[in-house]
Amino acid sequence: MRLTGAVALVTGGSSGIGAATARALAAAGARLLIAGRDPARLQAIADQTGGIALTGISPHPTGLPSFAAAAQRAAATSPAPGAGDGAARVDILVNNAGLGWAGPIGDITAEKVAELVAVNLTAPIQLTRLLVPGMVARGRGRVVFVSSIAAADRRARWRRSTRPPRRHWSRSPTASPTSWTATTSGCR
């Protein structure tokens, strides 16, 4: 897919992977629509990339239809080179927005679980559902889902706080081959 002139919507674009993705897409010639939680940082990224900061609207599942419509309106009215006919379109959707949580699993509230599922799972699927039909109709488009490896990270805080200490077996170089010592330590 050629990126020059393609319209890319990046959620979670005000920092981290989302901001880096926005910069890379802009460098490749894409027109950017960037959504994020921090309006000041979002505007700074938009200024750096020549993109449009989607502020005042939320990609939360309850507001997705209006968010998708606002993104499509912004794409249609963007005064960017290669804008073509100004058709309301999103060619590339980068679902990067997400929330994290760390701590013992017994400490998370039901409300926080619902919020995590809404933002990290439901919102990207629903936003994709709203934007993909246009991609299919135009015969072009890409969808990217960014996820976290925190659950697989051996150093993740929740694992340190909930796992029992590991038992390590070691043998001194000068000890006999049958002499092993058990030591206990936290996860590393």
Side-chain angles (χ1 to χ4, degrees), residues 2 19 29 32 37-38 41-42 47 50 63 66 70 73-74 103 108 115 122 125 128 141 144 147-148 154-155 167 184:
R2 291 190 188 119
L32 293 176
R37 289 183 289 180
D38 185 324
R41 290 169 74 180
L42 184 64
D47 292 344
S66 60
R73 279 192 307 276
I108 191 168
E115 180 185 25
T122 306
I125 291 171
T128 301
V144 178
S147 63
S148 171
R154 293 181 347 157
R155 296 161 294 177
R167 187 171 293 272
T184 303

Side-chain angles (χ1 to χ4, degrees), residues 17 95-101 120 145-153 156 158:
I17 293 170
N95 286 305
N96 176 68
L99 297 176
W101 187 86
N120 297 344
F145 288 87
V146 178
S147 63
S148 171
I149 63 165
D153 185 350
W158 71 269

Side-chain angles (χ1 to χ4, degrees), residues 31 40 55 58 105 129 137 146 152 156:
R31 295 171 43 216
T55 58
S58 172
I105 193 69
R129 184 184 66 78
V146 178

Side-chain angles (χ1 to χ4, degrees), residues 4 22 25 45 47-48 51 60 75 87 89 99 107 113 119-120 122 132 141 147 164 175 180 183:
T4 302
L25 288 167
I45 297 297
D47 292 344
Q48 290 173 13
H60 193 277
R89 73 178 208 262
L99 297 176
D107 290 353
V113 169
V119 173
N120 297 344
T122 306
V132 163
S147 63
W180 291 84
T183 57

Side-chain angles (χ1 to χ4, degrees), residues 102-141:
I105 193 69
D107 290 353
I108 191 168
T109 65
E111 292 79 18
K112 187 64 177 179
V113 169
E115 180 185 25
L116 290 171
V117 169
V119 173
N120 297 344
L121 179 64
T122 306
I125 291 171
Q126 293 286 38
L127 187 56
T128 301
R129 184 184 66 78
L130 292 168
L131 296 177
V132 163
M135 294 177 186
V136 171
R138 289 186 306 280
R140 74 178 264 173

